[in-house]
Amino acid sequence: MVRVALITGVTGQDGSFLAELLLGKGYEVHGTIRRSSVDFRERIAHLEGQPHFHLHYADMSDSMSLLQVIGLIRPQEIYNLAAQSHVQVSFDAPEFTANVDATGVLRILEAVRLCGLTHSCRIYQASTSELYGKVEQIPQNEDTPFHPYSPYAVAKLYGHWIVREYREAYGMFCCAGILFNHESERRGETFVTRKITLAAARIRQGKQKKLYLGNLSSYRDWGYAKDYVECMWLMLQNIKPEDYVIATGKQHTVREFCRLAFHYVGIELEFVGEGVDEKGVDRRSGEIVVEVSPDFYRPTDVVNLLGDPSKACRELGWNPEKTSFEELVRIMVEADMVKVTAEQVGEHVRTNLTEYLEKGIVK
Ligand code: NAP
Ligand code: GDD
């Protein structure tokens, strides 16, 4: 029997990796997309046209569209990844964020019930380490109290609890992965890691002068997205529906990420000064390449995330050391060096860094 899965948010970073994983396992994969005046399906372009990959228009704020797609495909597994996922944006669009990230989860659960799939469909909900917010314990595990610290986190807390409620009230197999930050070469360009790797590549190739960042002292537990989507699948293959923390158990500051990314493009940074006056200086040229801009400060910021993934290691066989922090930064920097070079020579990204180095395009 071919298993049928629905991924909401298939065009996102995680959705695209998860679609690849499930197709590789022989699933019939359906994904939801939104209408846009421009085509933003870059991350899944390579999957379109495959016989077991299907796309449907649906929006998390539109119950009817969700009911229609769930009723039509009657999935055995739903991965609810769709969300307004940017924390800073949630301060500017709090109502939209609540509608999509909180009520949207309820819409999925109710659609499953209304389609008569209460006991046949398993649901994964994308919860987040942002739930710990103004952290009350370090490291954070499944028993750590939540203290959400942004409109995004408050909305995600509703999503987290409504999933637990439906599990208990209706015996549904629904569970939440409390995932700590995970990044990749497909990460959105306004999240701090990608913003840094892209800027490092551009600065190295003379396409950008400076990078402006917010809080450099914020700690994150950063892992590789491709490793994390595997846990989503494992959670739905479990005997019982349970929630898990997925993290590496190691933390680094934004400053450290920045220093390493620039190191990989051949620029050694020295940070001088403090707070808004802190600067990242290129040791060789003496030029200031990183500056702090209060524009990227948040009204409330989560500054100390460190996950304890022991339960996932024990029960799901999760290996938090599969891709190290150094390897993650290297993968992202290398991909962005190729992207920036390809833009420069007017090519589609279809080659690798070694080829550009050999041709003398990147020096
Ligand atoms: P992402 O790259 O921002 O992708 C978000 C996806 O949600 C996109 O496909 C987006 O579609 C879709 N979406 C947004 N609003 C929607 C709406 N109203 N209706 C339908 N679809 C909508 O996020 P990600 O990094 O892959 O994260 C996936 C999920 O995990 C999110 O729920 C996020 O909050 C959560 N999470 C992420 C991390 C992390 O570090 N990456 C950690 C913990 C939890 P468009 O392409 O059309 O915008
Ligand atoms: N985006 C951004 N841009 N963040 C910056 C910047 C900047 O210029 N400068 C410093 N930061 C700091 C932020 O203040 C925050 O403390 C940290 O870098 C990480 O910010 P993001 O990369 O935007 O990620 P996030 O941690 O807020 O949210 C991501 O991870 C969550 C899991 O903890 C998103 O993927 C969420 O969807 C996810 O739930």
Side-chain angles (χ1 to χ4, degrees):
M1 276 278 285
V2 176
R3 292 190 72 76
V4 178
L6 173 67
I7 304 173
T8 68
V10 75
T11 55
Q13 170 189 256
D14 292 5
S16 63
F17 282 124
L18 181 64
E20 284 168 10
L21 180 87
L22 297 181
L23 286 168
K25 290 184 184 295
Y27 278 70
E28 197 73 32
V29 177
H30 297 258
T32 63
I33 50 166
R34 296 191 289 171
R35 146 94 185 127
S36 164
S37 64
V38 280
D39 188 5
F40 277 126
R41 291 192 234 160
E42 198 183 313
R43 295 187 183 105
I44 52 163
H46 60 296
L47 302 178
E48 289 191 55
Q50 288 199 19
H52 301 293
F53 185 64
H54 316 274
L55 296 175
H56 310 263
Y57 283 102
D59 194 292
M60 294 301 287
S61 61
D62 178 356
S63 307
M64 274 184 274
S65 66
L66 296 172
L67 253 173
Q68 211 167 357
V69 67
I70 291 172
L72 179 76
I73 68 173
R74 305 185 70 78
Q76 281 120 2
E77 295 176 12
I78 295 180
Y79 297 86
N80 185 36
L81 310 186
Q84 190 301 95
S85 71
H86 204 285
V87 174
Q88 189 156 10
V89 171
S90 77
F91 288 97
D92 295 328
E95 186 184 353
F96 173 75
T97 304
N99 194 9
V100 174
D101 299 11
T103 322
V105 186
L106 178 69
R107 292 188 185 102
I108 292 278
L109 294 164
E110 274 301 306
V112 167
R113 272 168 31 87
L114 287 168
C115 292
L117 304 173
T118 310
H119 299 296
S120 63
C121 180
R122 297 183 168 202
I123 303 166
Y124 170 86
Q125 166 60 17
S127 281
T128 164
S129 50
E130 285 291 308
L131 298 180
Y132 299 118
K134 194 174 180 189
V135 298
E136 297 187 7
Q137 187 184 307
I138 301 165
Q140 297 92 37
N141 63 26
E142 291 80 1
D143 299 320
T144 304
F146 296 134
H147 190 145
Y149 215 34
S150 65
Y152 166 80
V154 174
K156 280 283 185 178
L157 185 61
Y158 176 87
H160 187 81
W161 279 106
I162 200 70
V163 158
R164 291 182 72 151
E165 177 56 25
Y166 273 52
R167 183 160 79 209
E168 288 180 24
Y170 305 116
M172 287 169 79
F173 193 114
C174 40
C175 52
I178 307 172
L179 270 54
F180 282 62
N181 296 53
H182 44 282
E183 319 293 314
S184 74
E185 61 281 24
R186 296 185 194 170
R187 186 59 143 150
E189 293 176 10
T190 58
F191 294 98
V192 77
T193 55
R194 187 72 200 288
K195 186 172 162 184
I196 293 171
T197 58
L198 202 48
R202 286 190 176 135
I203 290 172
R204 171 72 167 78
Q205 300 192 42
K207 294 278 147 203
Q208 186 175 328
K209 286 250 171 278
K210 262 185 208 166
L211 165 64
Y212 292 92
L213 293 171
N215 185 358
L216 297 173
S217 301
S218 192
Y219 280 95
R220 285 291 180 278
D221 179 329
W222 279 298
Y224 188 33
K226 210 170 180 174
D227 301 340
Y228 283 47
V229 299
E230 248 179 88
C231 281
M232 300 176 184
W233 177 76
L234 285 170
M235 277 182 227
L236 292 198
Q237 314 314 309
N238 233 348
I239 297 166
K240 280 193 307 180
E242 293 219 18
D243 304 332
Y244 289 90
V245 159
I246 306 297
T248 69
K250 297 206 170 97
Q251 61 174 189
H252 299 271
T253 59
V254 170
R255 190 182 297 103
E256 283 163 17
F257 191 104
C258 208
R259 201 181 279 126
L260 190 59
F262 276 81
H263 167 75
Y264 284 136
V265 300
I267 299 173
E268 301 306 328
L269 283 187
E270 184 176 359
F271 282 92
V272 294
E274 269 177 40
V276 78
D277 296 321
E278 187 167 354
K279 297 185 192 329
V281 181
D282 178 345
R283 279 199 186 137
R284 197 175 315 144
S285 67
E287 270 180 46
I288 296 169
V289 286
V290 181
E291 284 205 49
V292 172
S293 163
D295 286 351
F296 300 108
Y297 285 168
R298 296 172 181 183
T300 47
D301 197 11
V302 173
V303 293
N304 203 347
L305 291 179
L306 175 64
D308 169 7
S310 316
K311 182 181 173 193
C313 295
R314 220 174 33 246
E315 297 180 11
L316 299 176
W318 164 243
N319 172 10
E321 291 179 357
K322 196 163 172 188
T323 308
S324 68
F325 175 68
E326 290 72 20
E327 180 70 356
L328 168 68
V329 181
R330 198 194 54 71
I331 292 170
M332 293 179 70
V333 167
E334 191 159 308
D336 279 332
M337 282 294 279
V338 172
K339 178 184 157 72
V340 173
T341 312
E343 279 168 6
Q344 211 166 317
V345 296
E347 282 182 355
H348 286 297
V349 179
R350 57 165 178 73
T351 184
N352 58 37
L353 191 56
T354 321
E355 216 176 303
Y356 281 135
L357 284 165
E358 278 166 2
K359 284 185 189 161
I361 296 169
V362 174
K363 302 211 168 45

mmCIF file of all heavy atoms in Angstrom, residues 265-301:
data_model
loop_
_atom_site.group_PDB
_atom_site.id
_atom_site.type_symbol
_atom_site.label_atom_id
_atom_site.label_comp_id
_atom_site.label_asym_id
_atom_site.label_seq_id
_atom_site.Cartn_x
_atom_site.Cartn_y
_atom_site.Cartn_z
ATOM 1 N N VAL A 265 34.971 32.297 3.995
ATOM 2 C CA VAL A 265 35.187 32.986 2.713
ATOM 3 C C VAL A 265 36.561 33.663 2.687
ATOM 4 O O VAL A 265 36.884 34.409 1.764
ATOM 5 C CB VAL A 265 34.075 34.027 2.378
ATOM 6 C CG1 VAL A 265 32.719 33.375 2.284
ATOM 7 C CG2 VAL A 265 34.062 35.191 3.355
ATOM 8 N N GLY A 266 37.329 33.434 3.742
ATOM 9 C CA GLY A 266 38.705 33.960 3.746
ATOM 10 C C GLY A 266 38.850 35.328 4.380
ATOM 11 O O GLY A 266 39.849 36.004 4.173
ATOM 12 N N ILE A 267 37.831 35.730 5.148
ATOM 13 C CA ILE A 267 37.935 37.018 5.854
ATOM 14 C C ILE A 267 37.951 36.744 7.357
ATOM 15 O O ILE A 267 36.994 36.164 7.890
ATOM 16 C CB ILE A 267 36.758 37.966 5.489
ATOM 17 C CG1 ILE A 267 36.771 38.272 3.991
ATOM 18 C CG2 ILE A 267 36.798 39.261 6.310
ATOM 19 C CD1 ILE A 267 35.555 39.065 3.486
ATOM 20 N N GLU A 268 39.034 37.154 8.025
ATOM 21 C CA GLU A 268 39.126 36.939 9.481
ATOM 22 C C GLU A 268 38.588 38.187 10.170
ATOM 23 O O GLU A 268 39.111 39.285 9.994
ATOM 24 C CB GLU A 268 40.579 36.676 9.904
ATOM 25 C CG GLU A 268 41.222 35.475 9.229
ATOM 26 C CD GLU A 268 40.419 34.161 9.377
ATOM 27 O OE1 GLU A 268 39.757 33.978 10.416
ATOM 28 O OE2 GLU A 268 40.442 33.339 8.435
ATOM 29 N N LEU A 269 37.509 37.993 10.954
ATOM 30 C CA LEU A 269 36.866 39.138 11.606
ATOM 31 C C LEU A 269 37.332 39.311 13.039
ATOM 32 O O LEU A 269 37.491 38.337 13.775
ATOM 33 C CB LEU A 269 35.358 38.927 11.652
ATOM 34 C CG LEU A 269 34.521 39.145 10.404
ATOM 35 C CD1 LEU A 269 33.042 39.032 10.756
ATOM 36 C CD2 LEU A 269 34.816 40.499 9.769
ATOM 37 N N GLU A 270 37.490 40.572 13.427
ATOM 38 C CA GLU A 270 37.723 40.864 14.839
ATOM 39 C C GLU A 270 36.584 41.776 15.289
ATOM 40 O O GLU A 270 36.295 42.779 14.610
ATOM 41 C CB GLU A 270 39.058 41.582 14.994
ATOM 42 C CG GLU A 270 39.395 41.813 16.441
ATOM 43 C CD GLU A 270 40.780 42.443 16.618
ATOM 44 O OE1 GLU A 270 41.464 42.679 15.608
ATOM 45 O OE2 GLU A 270 41.131 42.711 17.759
ATOM 46 N N PHE A 271 35.918 41.399 16.387
ATOM 47 C CA PHE A 271 34.825 42.246 16.858
ATOM 48 C C PHE A 271 35.341 43.216 17.916
ATOM 49 O O PHE A 271 36.003 42.804 18.870
ATOM 50 C CB PHE A 271 33.685 41.384 17.417
ATOM 51 C CG PHE A 271 32.843 40.788 16.315
ATOM 52 C CD1 PHE A 271 33.131 39.533 15.802
ATOM 53 C CD2 PHE A 271 31.791 41.504 15.770
ATOM 54 C CE1 PHE A 271 32.376 38.992 14.769
ATOM 55 C CE2 PHE A 271 31.024 40.975 14.734
ATOM 56 C CZ PHE A 271 31.315 39.720 14.237
ATOM 57 N N VAL A 272 35.042 44.487 17.726
ATOM 58 C CA VAL A 272 35.463 45.511 18.690
ATOM 59 C C VAL A 272 34.242 46.343 19.086
ATOM 60 O O VAL A 272 33.301 46.470 18.309
ATOM 61 C CB VAL A 272 36.564 46.443 18.094
ATOM 62 C CG1 VAL A 272 37.848 45.694 17.827
ATOM 63 C CG2 VAL A 272 36.081 47.119 16.809
ATOM 64 N N GLY A 273 34.288 46.880 20.311
ATOM 65 C CA GLY A 273 33.181 47.716 20.781
ATOM 66 C C GLY A 273 32.073 46.877 21.389
ATOM 67 O O GLY A 273 32.161 45.648 21.435
ATOM 68 N N GLU A 274 31.047 47.578 21.835
ATOM 69 C CA GLU A 274 29.950 46.889 22.528
ATOM 70 C C GLU A 274 28.593 47.395 22.090
ATOM 71 O O GLU A 274 28.468 48.537 21.640
ATOM 72 C CB GLU A 274 30.072 47.151 24.031
ATOM 73 C CG GLU A 274 30.899 46.108 24.726
ATOM 74 C CD GLU A 274 31.070 46.436 26.200
ATOM 75 O OE1 GLU A 274 30.101 46.901 26.840
ATOM 76 O OE2 GLU A 274 32.195 46.228 26.691
ATOM 77 N N GLY A 275 27.576 46.561 22.282
ATOM 78 C CA GLY A 275 26.181 46.955 22.006
ATOM 79 C C GLY A 275 26.035 47.492 20.594
ATOM 80 O O GLY A 275 26.577 46.930 19.632
ATOM 81 N N VAL A 276 25.345 48.622 20.491
ATOM 82 C CA VAL A 276 25.065 49.174 19.160
ATOM 83 C C VAL A 276 26.348 49.675 18.477
ATOM 84 O O VAL A 276 26.393 49.859 17.258
ATOM 85 C CB VAL A 276 23.959 50.249 19.279
ATOM 86 C CG1 VAL A 276 24.514 51.554 19.820
ATOM 87 C CG2 VAL A 276 23.232 50.453 17.973
ATOM 88 N N ASP A 277 27.429 49.870 19.277
ATOM 89 C CA ASP A 277 28.702 50.354 18.702
ATOM 90 C C ASP A 277 29.645 49.222 18.313
ATOM 91 O O ASP A 277 30.767 49.471 17.858
ATOM 92 C CB ASP A 277 29.419 51.263 19.720
ATOM 93 C CG ASP A 277 28.608 52.509 19.996
ATOM 94 O OD1 ASP A 277 28.024 53.037 19.022
ATOM 95 O OD2 ASP A 277 28.515 52.931 21.159
ATOM 96 N N GLU A 278 29.207 47.989 18.489
ATOM 97 C CA GLU A 278 30.090 46.866 18.144
ATOM 98 C C GLU A 278 30.276 46.783 16.620
ATOM 99 O O GLU A 278 29.332 47.014 15.854
ATOM 100 C CB GLU A 278 29.513 45.547 18.677
ATOM 101 C CG GLU A 278 30.465 44.396 18.481
ATOM 102 C CD GLU A 278 30.063 43.151 19.286
ATOM 103 O OE1 GLU A 278 29.099 43.216 20.084
ATOM 104 O OE2 GLU A 278 30.745 42.121 19.101
ATOM 105 N N LYS A 279 31.494 46.430 16.228
ATOM 106 C CA LYS A 279 31.775 46.330 14.786
ATOM 107 C C LYS A 279 32.625 45.108 14.500
ATOM 108 O O LYS A 279 33.466 44.718 15.319
ATOM 109 C CB LYS A 279 32.538 47.571 14.306
ATOM 110 C CG LYS A 279 31.687 48.828 14.477
ATOM 111 C CD LYS A 279 32.319 50.057 13.934
ATOM 112 C CE LYS A 279 31.604 51.337 14.367
ATOM 113 N NZ LYS A 279 30.181 51.291 14.590
ATOM 114 N N GLY A 280 32.430 44.536 13.326
ATOM 115 C CA GLY A 280 33.271 43.431 12.869
ATOM 116 C C GLY A 280 34.263 43.981 11.852
ATOM 117 O O GLY A 280 33.861 44.484 10.804
ATOM 118 N N VAL A 281 35.541 43.875 12.205
ATOM 119 C CA VAL A 281 36.576 44.475 11.360
ATOM 120 C C VAL A 281 37.361 43.376 10.646
ATOM 121 O O VAL A 281 37.744 42.373 11.263
ATOM 122 C CB VAL A 281 37.543 45.320 12.239
ATOM 123 C CG1 VAL A 281 38.628 45.974 11.390
ATOM 124 C CG2 VAL A 281 36.767 46.356 13.030
ATOM 125 N N ASP A 282 37.599 43.566 9.356
ATOM 126 C CA ASP A 282 38.434 42.657 8.573
ATOM 127 C C ASP A 282 39.884 42.891 9.021
ATOM 128 O O ASP A 282 40.438 43.974 8.812
ATOM 129 C CB ASP A 282 38.253 42.981 7.083
ATOM 130 C CG ASP A 282 39.128 42.127 6.178
ATOM 131 O OD1 ASP A 282 40.081 41.490 6.677
ATOM 132 O OD2 ASP A 282 38.862 42.098 4.960
ATOM 133 N N ARG A 283 40.471 41.857 9.648
ATOM 134 C CA ARG A 283 41.816 42.023 10.218
ATOM 135 C C ARG A 283 42.850 42.419 9.168
ATOM 136 O O ARG A 283 43.767 43.168 9.455
ATOM 137 C CB ARG A 283 42.274 40.706 10.846
ATOM 138 C CG ARG A 283 41.712 40.505 12.221
ATOM 139 C CD ARG A 283 42.539 39.476 12.969
ATOM 140 N NE ARG A 283 41.899 39.192 14.229
ATOM 141 C CZ ARG A 283 41.753 37.996 14.751
ATOM 142 N NH1 ARG A 283 42.212 36.933 14.123
ATOM 143 N NH2 ARG A 283 41.167 37.834 15.914
ATOM 144 N N ARG A 284 42.691 41.890 7.971
ATOM 145 C CA ARG A 284 43.713 42.146 6.942
ATOM 146 C C ARG A 284 43.601 43.577 6.407
ATOM 147 O O ARG A 284 44.574 44.297 6.369
ATOM 148 C CB ARG A 284 43.560 41.141 5.798
ATOM 149 C CG ARG A 284 44.824 41.089 4.937
ATOM 150 C CD ARG A 284 44.758 40.016 3.869
ATOM 151 N NE ARG A 284 44.245 38.740 4.338
ATOM 152 C CZ ARG A 284 43.485 37.928 3.619
ATOM 153 N NH1 ARG A 284 43.128 38.260 2.402
ATOM 154 N NH2 ARG A 284 43.085 36.762 4.093
ATOM 155 N N SER A 285 42.392 43.990 6.041
ATOM 156 C CA SER A 285 42.258 45.308 5.399
ATOM 157 C C SER A 285 41.947 46.422 6.391
ATOM 158 O O SER A 285 42.084 47.592 6.076
ATOM 159 C CB SER A 285 41.129 45.252 4.367
ATOM 160 O OG SER A 285 39.891 45.075 5.039
ATOM 161 N N GLY A 286 41.511 46.034 7.605
ATOM 162 C CA GLY A 286 41.120 47.043 8.592
ATOM 163 C C GLY A 286 39.740 47.627 8.313
ATOM 164 O O GLY A 286 39.250 48.494 9.036
ATOM 165 N N GLU A 287 39.066 47.148 7.276
ATOM 166 C CA GLU A 287 37.736 47.685 6.928
ATOM 167 C C GLU A 287 36.648 47.135 7.851
ATOM 168 O O GLU A 287 36.707 45.961 8.241
ATOM 169 C CB GLU A 287 37.382 47.303 5.496
ATOM 170 C CG GLU A 287 37.842 48.323 4.482
ATOM 171 C CD GLU A 287 37.486 47.921 3.063
ATOM 172 O OE1 GLU A 287 36.334 47.498 2.855
ATOM 173 O OE2 GLU A 287 38.384 48.012 2.209
ATOM 174 N N ILE A 288 35.658 47.972 8.138
ATOM 175 C CA ILE A 288 34.514 47.519 8.935
ATOM 176 C C ILE A 288 33.531 46.831 7.990
ATOM 177 O O ILE A 288 33.033 47.461 7.055
ATOM 178 C CB ILE A 288 33.825 48.709 9.634
ATOM 179 C CG1 ILE A 288 34.791 49.345 10.636
ATOM 180 C CG2 ILE A 288 32.548 48.256 10.331
ATOM 181 C CD1 ILE A 288 34.330 50.682 11.184
ATOM 182 N N VAL A 289 33.280 45.560 8.240
ATOM 183 C CA VAL A 289 32.338 44.861 7.349
ATOM 184 C C VAL A 289 31.028 44.484 8.054
ATOM 185 O O VAL A 289 30.035 44.203 7.388
ATOM 186 C CB VAL A 289 32.973 43.606 6.674
ATOM 187 C CG1 VAL A 289 33.951 44.001 5.590
ATOM 188 C CG2 VAL A 289 33.619 42.691 7.665
ATOM 189 N N VAL A 290 31.044 44.485 9.386
ATOM 190 C CA VAL A 290 29.795 44.190 10.108
ATOM 191 C C VAL A 290 29.498 45.334 11.079
ATOM 192 O O VAL A 290 30.383 45.768 11.811
ATOM 193 C CB VAL A 290 29.898 42.867 10.904
ATOM 194 C CG1 VAL A 290 28.583 42.572 11.623
ATOM 195 C CG2 VAL A 290 30.276 41.701 9.998
ATOM 196 N N GLU A 291 28.245 45.795 11.043
ATOM 197 C CA GLU A 291 27.837 46.828 12.000
ATOM 198 C C GLU A 291 26.512 46.439 12.626
ATOM 199 O O GLU A 291 25.768 45.620 12.068
ATOM 200 C CB GLU A 291 27.674 48.180 11.293
ATOM 201 C CG GLU A 291 29.008 48.827 10.969
ATOM 202 C CD GLU A 291 28.899 50.344 10.842
ATOM 203 O OE1 GLU A 291 28.313 50.988 11.745
ATOM 204 O OE2 GLU A 291 29.391 50.868 9.825
ATOM 205 N N VAL A 292 26.232 47.048 13.780
ATOM 206 C CA VAL A 292 24.957 46.769 14.443
ATOM 207 C C VAL A 292 23.965 47.866 14.082
ATOM 208 O O VAL A 292 24.322 49.042 14.071
ATOM 209 C CB VAL A 292 25.155 46.700 15.974
ATOM 210 C CG1 VAL A 292 23.814 46.600 16.698
ATOM 211 C CG2 VAL A 292 26.045 45.513 16.326
ATOM 212 N N SER A 293 22.733 47.438 13.760
ATOM 213 C CA SER A 293 21.681 48.415 13.495
ATOM 214 C C SER A 293 20.503 48.098 14.418
ATOM 215 O O SER A 293 19.984 46.973 14.397
ATOM 216 C CB SER A 293 21.225 48.334 12.041
ATOM 217 O OG SER A 293 19.976 48.977 11.920
ATOM 218 N N PRO A 294 20.054 49.072 15.196
ATOM 219 C CA PRO A 294 18.907 48.835 16.093
ATOM 220 C C PRO A 294 17.641 48.441 15.332
ATOM 221 O O PRO A 294 16.705 47.912 15.922
ATOM 222 C CB PRO A 294 18.719 50.177 16.809
ATOM 223 C CG PRO A 294 19.975 50.929 16.588
ATOM 224 C CD PRO A 294 20.599 50.426 15.319
ATOM 225 N N ASP A 295 17.620 48.665 14.015
ATOM 226 C CA ASP A 295 16.456 48.253 13.210
ATOM 227 C C ASP A 295 16.200 46.756 13.354
ATOM 228 O O ASP A 295 15.083 46.291 13.122
ATOM 229 C CB ASP A 295 16.713 48.510 11.712
ATOM 230 C CG ASP A 295 16.626 49.974 11.372
ATOM 231 O OD1 ASP A 295 16.199 50.746 12.244
ATOM 232 O OD2 ASP A 295 17.007 50.328 10.235
ATOM 233 N N PHE A 296 17.251 46.000 13.652
ATOM 234 C CA PHE A 296 17.080 44.546 13.751
ATOM 235 C C PHE A 296 16.938 44.060 15.196
ATOM 236 O O PHE A 296 16.971 42.868 15.459
ATOM 237 C CB PHE A 296 18.239 43.832 13.030
ATOM 238 C CG PHE A 296 18.285 44.189 11.576
ATOM 239 C CD1 PHE A 296 19.294 45.011 11.077
ATOM 240 C CD2 PHE A 296 17.282 43.764 10.715
ATOM 241 C CE1 PHE A 296 19.315 45.380 9.738
ATOM 242 C CE2 PHE A 296 17.293 44.135 9.372
ATOM 243 C CZ PHE A 296 18.314 44.941 8.885
ATOM 244 N N TYR A 297 16.804 45.020 16.124
ATOM 245 C CA TYR A 297 16.479 44.629 17.502
ATOM 246 C C TYR A 297 14.981 44.326 17.554
ATOM 247 O O TYR A 297 14.184 44.911 16.827
ATOM 248 C CB TYR A 297 16.773 45.767 18.484
ATOM 249 C CG TYR A 297 18.241 45.992 18.795
ATOM 250 C CD1 TYR A 297 18.645 47.141 19.479
ATOM 251 C CD2 TYR A 297 19.221 45.076 18.440
ATOM 252 C CE1 TYR A 297 19.975 47.367 19.798
ATOM 253 C CE2 TYR A 297 20.563 45.297 18.742
ATOM 254 C CZ TYR A 297 20.929 46.441 19.415
ATOM 255 O OH TYR A 297 22.243 46.665 19.724
ATOM 256 N N ARG A 298 14.600 43.422 18.446
ATOM 257 C CA ARG A 298 13.185 43.076 18.604
ATOM 258 C C ARG A 298 12.658 43.659 19.911
ATOM 259 O O ARG A 298 13.425 43.781 20.870
ATOM 260 C CB ARG A 298 13.047 41.546 18.624
ATOM 261 C CG ARG A 298 13.480 40.976 17.310
ATOM 262 C CD ARG A 298 13.566 39.476 17.297
ATOM 263 N NE ARG A 298 14.024 39.067 15.970
ATOM 264 C CZ ARG A 298 14.175 37.825 15.563
ATOM 265 N NH1 ARG A 298 13.911 36.835 16.392
ATOM 266 N NH2 ARG A 298 14.590 37.558 14.355
ATOM 267 N N PRO A 299 11.362 43.970 19.956
ATOM 268 C CA PRO A 299 10.810 44.521 21.210
ATOM 269 C C PRO A 299 11.084 43.596 22.390
ATOM 270 O O PRO A 299 11.355 44.054 23.504
ATOM 271 C CB PRO A 299 9.310 44.617 20.915
ATOM 272 C CG PRO A 299 9.209 44.689 19.428
ATOM 273 C CD PRO A 299 10.354 43.893 18.884
ATOM 274 N N THR A 300 10.991 42.285 22.166
ATOM 275 C CA THR A 300 11.432 41.296 23.163
ATOM 276 C C THR A 300 12.190 40.234 22.377
ATOM 277 O O THR A 300 11.712 39.775 21.341
ATOM 278 C CB THR A 300 10.237 40.633 23.895
ATOM 279 O OG1 THR A 300 9.262 40.245 22.928
ATOM 280 C CG2 THR A 300 9.602 41.550 24.909
ATOM 281 N N ASP A 301 13.361 39.868 22.856
ATOM 282 C CA ASP A 301 14.179 38.910 22.099
ATOM 283 C C ASP A 301 14.496 37.696 22.971
ATOM 284 O O ASP A 301 14.737 37.816 24.174
ATOM 285 C CB ASP A 301 15.477 39.588 21.650
ATOM 286 C CG ASP A 301 16.178 38.812 20.527
ATOM 287 O OD1 ASP A 301 15.568 37.879 19.964
ATOM 288 O OD2 ASP A 301 17.337 39.159 20.210
#
